[in-house]
Amino acid sequence: MKSTLQKLRYIMAMLLAIILIVSPLRTAAALGADTTGIKSSLAITGYKVTDTSGNILSSVPSGYPINLEITVKNPGIKSSDISGSADIDVSKLVDSFSGSGNPEVTITSQNDDDPLAMTIKFSDVKYSGSGKTFKFMVGYKSLSVDYDITDLSITECVDQENKPADNDKVTPTPTLLITGSLNRDTLKPDQLMDLTINIENLSDSSLQDAVVSLTPSESIYLVAGKTTFFLDTIGGKQTRSFTVKIKTGSELPPASQSVGVDLKYNYDNGSALVQSTASERINLISEIDESSEPILFISGVQTDEVLKSNGERDVTIKVTNMSDTMASKIQVTLTPSGSIYFPNGKNSFFLPNMKGNSEERLTVRIKAAGALASTLQSIDVEVKYSYTNGSSIVQETATGKIIIATADKSPAPVLFISGSQTKDILKGDEEKDVTLQITNMGETTASDITVSLNPSDSIYFPDGKSSFFLKSIKGYTEESITVKVKAASEPSSSLQTIGVDASYSYDSGGGIVPGTASGKVVVVTESHKETDASVPYLIVSNYSYGGAPVAANTAFKLSMDFYNTSSNLSIENIVVTLETGENFSVASSSNTFYYESLGAGQTLTQDLDLQALLVANSGQTSISGAKTVEVSFKYEYNTGSKRATNTMSEKLSIPIYLPDRFELAQPQLPDFVAVGQESVITLSYVNKGKNPISNVEAAIEDITGEMETPAKVQQLGNIEAGKSSTIGFAFMPLQPGELSFTIRITYEDANLEPVIKEFPVLVSAFDAPPPMDMGMPEMAPEQESKIPLPWLIGAAIVLLAGIGIAVMRIRKARAQKKISSIDFSWEEDAPAQDLPLTEDKTDGTAPGTDAPSKSEV
């Protein structure tokens, strides 16, 4: 029994010893103590913020995906304590960024005895827009130490909630330059080549999720068949390039080929991530055959006369034949810009044959359709002509633009693009410098100017650069750009052009807004092209819509003359189609007409009824102005050996306006204006139109004399159709005499054109009359002043009239009483009675009235 107890005691002692040994170890492990004495102490030594393409970012807007590389060091842990990066456990915590980050760890310490150093990369995390804190924790799978939880502040974050008020302004759209270059100068049929597209971001804003779409012209195609490319992110002040393979077709027309580049991207405008687009067309030159033709140069005769709103003026157009070859059958078609038109309705003209080195002038009358939209209007000029090339008659076309100066002022910059004109002819494969002048004819500075050049089919830029950037052009100053131009070995025609498109931004007073300008520079080249036999052209030689602008929602008659320009070929099976667009409709008729034939040099006329429609589409800045109707021709003709088909189209310009039916009555003036007393002038108005007028403002201006008015300017806002009311101005003269001023009403009519109406006002101010003294001291002064003088005079007249009437009635009553008191008797024995005497006007005796009475009886 004792041995058994001893054994139990021995076993209990052993268990107690084991508990005492194990318990401290478990407690130490639970508290994170390391039996080896390792103490984790994580420290952040640096970080780097990049976009998803690896570009370093200076700012991180809300919702923008980034990669974050953080370098850390742990002095309490040696590199030898860790078996590798897989032994390190990293997790992102809840903070100012969304996404897990998929952390990747790279150990950067060199020696085993060195403190553990590593780089932790978090990918594709997005800033939430509030705060700047990034939190994460780091643990070690092989070590019994607690996780280190740490955070850092990402200073590049743009805090949307706490940013200063000055940052509330919207960031302008990034400015981009899109260029392209081939690995050779010109195109040939069935040829494979590389085309490199360059997209240069000139702004500080980053482009996110950039997608490029390419659209080649009909004679070239992309070899891989892929037309859309994803570029991801383009950082500020960076350029992205990519190369595609293109191939030309077996039949390459002798004209300029091109590849359209359309770019879509997102950027942070200061308050949100928004989408924007950019586009450019890269021109590629194809080799062509030799030609010989006249060189017609179109220009305008400069004049100091300006075109005022609703005014008219003459414009002279000069056509110069710069070659030795005669041009014949010259037909000129003019297309005015949106705010001007031809009052007589004629826009097509014929010029006599032009010998070599001669010129012809054409003068036309133009008129402004209303308030001019800009300080520069224009007329596009198209000249079709024929010339003899060997045994064939060839027809060609020359184009130009005439600039019209106007008197209206615009707050936006007015960029006028021109070139240094020269008569030097650029021969095949030769180079020359062409200087472009960009003149700011307005007062406002144009900034961040991007200039894109688009050469015609037979010239190109040998250095491959067709886009330029100008920082700014101040008002009334000029900047120049010099480009090197090279002609193809065999130019297609003798008159080549460089189209110039400029985009810019300017401060409108309410923010930074974009603007555009365009122009064309002529380059004369040497051409020797042989062409096929002449093609008969069918044109609109004249048209009329009544000679005056057409009111919206009204019907009018359109008359068109169709002319066969050929002198020896007739045309047959003619189909004419009228595309009226959204601004017109054909009334009670089809828009397609058929004619069996039209002889050489003959004309036919077509009349039809049109209806001008009231259209206000989104994006239109003016409902009124010159709108277009497109006339398309399709016809057949015989060349002798074969039957051919040709198509043509022309645009006819017809001005539309919305009548202004906002009516204001003449001001209603007060009857009496006294110094020191407030008076009111009122104007009644009614909007009889079917559309609202906007931004109505009433103001008192040009004040002559001393007066006070509580509100010189009143903002009335918009006035809906059919609404009527009055506008009132209160004023108080300070001195007696004449006061003159102008009531000016300004508003935008239904055409969104500004209208100003003025009403001159002339009033006389008098001193206020003193209180009246009626000589009755017992009456209070305020009672006297309350009885006007006319009332007192009227009361006196009424009182006197009443007294007169009373006196007359009293006298009449007394006379009647005396007469009724006489006693008449008709009996003979009755004694006679004497009448009472009231007045003795004879000799003191009573009149003898009894005798005659008795005799009569």
Side-chain angles (χ1 to χ4, degrees):
M1 183 68 179
K2 292 182 179 179
S3 61
T4 303
L5 292 175
Q6 289 180 350
K7 289 180 180 179
L8 290 174
R9 290 174 180 173
Y10 178 77
I11 292 171
M12 291 178 65
M14 290 295 292
L15 290 174
L16 180 61
I18 292 172
I19 291 172
L20 291 175
I21 293 173
V22 174
S23 179
L25 293 177
R26 294 184 62 188
T27 304
L31 297 176
D34 186 14
T35 56
T36 61
I38 296 176
K39 294 183 179 181
S40 178
S41 178
L42 191 68
I44 298 175
T45 59
Y47 72 90
K48 181 174 65 174
V49 181
T50 63
D51 59 21
T52 54
S53 298
N55 302 308
I56 296 178
L57 300 177
S58 59
S59 64
V60 179
S62 173
Y64 189 73
I66 64 168
N67 295 337
L68 183 61
E69 294 184 10
I70 305 173
T71 57
V72 298
K73 183 177 288 187
N74 197 329
I77 299 177
K78 295 182 181 180
S79 299
S80 58
D81 296 334
I82 303 299
S83 59
S85 59
D87 196 21
I88 302 173
D89 183 24
V90 180
S91 298
K92 179 185 172 300
L93 303 178
V94 177
D95 52 20
S96 300
F97 294 79
S98 62
S100 64
N102 300 315
E104 299 178 4
V105 179
T106 303
I107 298 177
T108 58
S109 49
Q110 301 296 322
N111 302 315
D112 292 343
D113 294 334
D114 292 341
L116 177 62
M118 54 186 165
T119 298
I120 306 175
K121 182 178 180 181
F122 295 90
S123 301
D124 198 23
V125 292
K126 294 183 179 180
Y127 177 46
S128 64
S130 176
K132 299 183 178 182
T133 303
F134 187 89
K135 293 183 179 181
F136 63 98
M137 65 179 185
V138 179
Y140 310 93
K141 299 177 182 178
S142 61
L143 300 179
S144 298
V145 295
D146 286 340
Y147 277 82
D148 288 303
I149 298 177
T150 186
D151 60 69
L152 72 158
S153 179
I154 309 300
T155 60
E156 289 82 357
C157 292
V158 180
D159 193 337
Q160 300 297 319
E161 294 183 355
N162 303 316
K163 65 179 181 179
D166 291 342
N167 293 336
D168 292 340
K169 295 182 179 179
V170 176
T171 303
T173 305
T175 303
L176 307 178
L177 284 180
I178 302 176
T179 59
S181 58
L182 279 174
N183 58 351
R184 59 163 295 143
D185 292 339
T186 58
L187 305 176
K188 288 185 177 180
D190 291 323
Q191 190 175 32
L192 183 68
M193 63 195 69
D194 292 334
L195 173 63
T196 301
I197 309 294
N198 307 303
I199 301 176
E200 183 178 358
N201 183 2
L202 300 174
S203 64
D204 295 325
S205 303
S206 296
L207 313 185
Q208 308 172 33
D209 303 326
V211 177
V212 177
S213 298
L214 303 182
T215 306
S217 54
E218 294 183 357
S219 299
I220 58 178
Y221 61 94
L222 302 177
V223 174
K226 182 180 180 182
T227 60
T228 303
F229 303 85
F230 180 64
L231 303 183
D232 197 6
T233 303
I234 305 177
K237 307 295 184 182
Q238 292 187 352
T239 301
R240 294 292 302 275
S241 302
F242 63 97
T243 301
V244 295
K245 286 191 177 295
I246 63 173
K247 187 175 182 180
T248 57
S250 58
E251 295 183 0
L252 190 63
S256 175
Q257 304 301 317
S258 63
V259 175
V261 182
D262 295 300
L263 174 65
K264 292 183 179 179
Y265 60 91
N266 298 324
Y267 77 98
D268 181 37
N269 70 349
S271 60
L273 200 64
V274 297
Q275 187 180 76
S276 186
T277 60
S279 61
E280 187 63 85
R281 183 157 291 276
I282 299 173
N283 293 294
L284 309 173
I285 306 302
S286 56
E287 297 183 355
I288 36 74
D289 299 329
E290 295 183 352
S291 66
S292 175
E293 63 180 69
I295 302 172
L296 298 190
F297 180 70
I298 302 167
S299 60
V301 178
Q302 299 299 326
T303 175
D304 293 334
E305 183 182 2
V306 297
L307 180 64
K308 299 180 180 180
S309 297
N310 296 309
E312 297 185 14
R313 62 162 285 195
D314 288 333
V315 175
T316 300
I317 301 168
K318 183 169 64 174
V319 181
T320 305
N321 187 353
M322 301 176 63
S323 69
D324 296 329
T325 306
M326 174 183 288
S328 58
K329 299 180 182 177
I330 305 170
Q331 194 252 341
V332 181
T333 302
L334 308 179
T335 304
S337 54
S339 295
I340 58 177
Y341 64 97
F342 305 116
N344 61 1
K346 185 176 181 181
N347 74 325
S348 296
F349 306 88
F350 288 97
L351 297 180
N353 295 344
M354 295 180 60
K355 297 181 180 180
N357 301 308
S358 64
E359 72 174 37
E360 290 289 339
R361 298 194 176 197
L362 173 65
T363 300
V364 294
R365 189 76 173 172
I366 63 172
K367 185 175 182 178
L372 297 164
S374 67
T375 56
L376 287 181
Q377 300 296 315
S378 62
I379 300 176
D380 289 328
V381 183
E382 183 183 64
V383 179
K384 295 180 179 180
Y385 60 94
S386 301
Y387 68 96
T388 302
N389 186 358
S391 59
S392 301
I393 297 178
V394 183
Q395 292 181 328
E396 289 293 344
T397 302
T399 59
K401 178 175 287 189
I402 309 300
I403 301 299
I404 310 298
T406 66
D408 284 3
K409 292 184 178 180
S410 170
V414 181
L415 300 189
F416 179 64
I417 300 172
S418 60
S420 297
Q421 300 296 335
T422 174
K423 292 188 177 181
D424 296 335
I425 295 179
L426 180 63
K427 297 182 180 180
D429 292 325
E430 284 188 350
E431 296 182 2
K432 67 177 292 188
D433 289 335
V434 175
T435 302
L436 313 176
Q437 286 94 26
I438 303 178
T439 305
N440 187 353
M441 303 180 68
E443 297 180 358
T444 307
T445 299
S447 305
D448 299 329
I449 307 159
T450 303
V451 181
S452 299
L453 307 181
N454 301 303
S456 52
D457 57 358
S458 295
I459 58 175
Y460 62 97
F461 307 119
D463 57 3
K465 187 175 182 181
S466 61
S467 298
F468 301 86
F469 179 75
L470 301 176
K471 184 61 179 176
S472 64
I473 303 178
K474 295 182 178 180
Y476 307 114
T477 60
E478 177 183 283
E479 292 289 339
S480 299
I481 298 175
T482 300
V483 295
K484 189 175 292 296
V485 178
K486 187 174 182 179
S489 57
E490 298 172 349
S492 61
S493 65
S494 299
L495 204 62
Q496 300 296 317
T497 59
I498 300 176
V500 184
D501 295 309
S503 60
Y504 56 90
S505 60
Y506 67 95
D507 187 357
S508 66
I512 304 298
V513 297
T516 59
S518 61
K520 186 176 289 185
V521 178
V522 176
V523 179
V524 180
T525 60
E526 187 178 64
S527 177
H528 306 284
K529 184 178 70 174
E530 294 182 0
T531 62
D532 296 333
S534 62
V535 176
Y537 288 155
L538 181 59
I539 64 171
V540 178
S541 60
N542 188 29
Y543 72 97
S544 174
Y545 47 83
V550 179
N553 284 337
T554 60
F556 65 99
K557 185 177 292 295
L558 176 64
S559 178
M560 298 175 291
D561 293 337
F562 306 142
Y563 173 66
N564 181 0
T565 62
S566 177
S567 60
N568 57 354
L569 294 177
S570 61
I571 56 179
E572 301 171 351
N573 296 329
I574 307 165
V575 177
V576 181
T577 303
L578 195 70
E579 296 294 341
T580 57
E582 60 184 7
N583 296 290
F584 303 96
S585 66
V586 180
S588 303
S589 173
S590 170
N591 68 332
T592 303
F593 309 94
Y594 173 78
Y595 307 95
E596 186 175 351
S597 64
L598 182 62
Q602 292 185 356
T603 301
L604 59 86
T605 301
Q606 175 66 52
D607 295 335
L608 69 158
D609 294 326
L610 293 184
Q611 177 83 18
L613 304 178
L614 176 58
V615 179
N617 285 341
S618 174
Q620 283 188 309
T621 58
S622 179
I623 299 172
S624 65
K627 309 302 180 182
T628 58
V629 173
E630 185 171 3
V631 183
S632 300
F633 304 102
K634 185 177 181 180
Y635 53 91
E636 299 176 353
Y637 64 95
N638 280 319
T639 61
S641 59
K642 62 179 181 178
R643 190 170 184 84
T645 302
N646 193 32
T647 58
M648 296 187 66
S649 65
E650 289 189 45
K651 290 183 178 181
L652 311 182
S653 179
I654 302 174
I656 297 180
Y657 73 97
L658 289 175
D660 183 8
R661 302 195 64 195
F662 181 62
E663 296 183 1
L664 287 157
Q666 289 295 322
Q668 297 296 315
L669 307 181
D671 295 330
F672 182 77
V673 178
V675 175
Q677 296 183 5
E678 189 174 80
S679 300
V680 177
I681 293 180
T682 60
L683 295 86
S684 61
Y685 65 81
V686 59
N687 183 7
K688 293 185 177 180
K690 297 182 180 297
N691 297 276
I693 63 170
S694 54
N695 299 325
V696 183
E697 178 183 281
I700 290 182
E701 299 182 357
D702 305 329
I703 300 174
T704 302
E706 295 190 15
M707 73 175 201
E708 291 182 352
T709 177
K712 289 185 178 181
V713 179
Q714 300 181 34
Q715 302 293 341
L716 305 180
N718 300 338
I719 298 178
E720 300 297 327
K723 184 177 180 180
S724 62
S725 186
T726 58
I727 304 170
F729 281 99
F731 68 97
M732 182 173 66
L734 302 179
Q735 289 183 356
E738 288 190 344
L739 286 176
S740 67
F741 50 88
T742 300
I743 297 179
R744 178 171 292 134
I745 310 296
T746 62
Y747 60 92
E748 293 179 1
D749 62 11
N751 303 318
L752 304 183
E753 300 292 348
V755 179
I756 299 176
K757 293 186 178 181
E758 296 181 342
F759 300 91
V761 177
L762 178 64
V763 297
S764 296
F766 300 93
D767 286 323
M772 297 181 60
D773 185 3
M774 300 302 294
M776 291 181 283
E778 70 279 0
M779 297 179 66
E782 59 271 22
Q783 292 176 343
E784 295 176 6
S785 61
K786 292 182 179 178
I787 304 176
L789 180 59
W791 287 19
L792 294 174
I793 295 173
I797 294 173
V798 172
L799 180 59
L800 292 175
I803 294 172
I805 294 171
V807 170
M808 291 176 63
R809 288 182 175 177
I810 291 171
R811 286 180 178 177
K812 183 176 180 181
R814 286 179 179 176
Q816 184 68 30
K817 184 176 183 182
K818 292 177 182 180
I819 295 173
S820 63
S821 64
I822 302 173
D823 185 15
F824 292 97
S825 178
W826 301 100
E827 298 178 1
E828 293 182 354
D829 296 334
Q833 296 182 4
D834 295 333
L835 291 174
L837 299 177
T838 59
E839 186 176 6
D840 186 2
K841 293 186 179 181
T842 58
D843 53 359
T845 62
T849 57
D850 294 337
S853 299
K854 291 180 178 180
S855 65
E856 291 175 3
V857 176

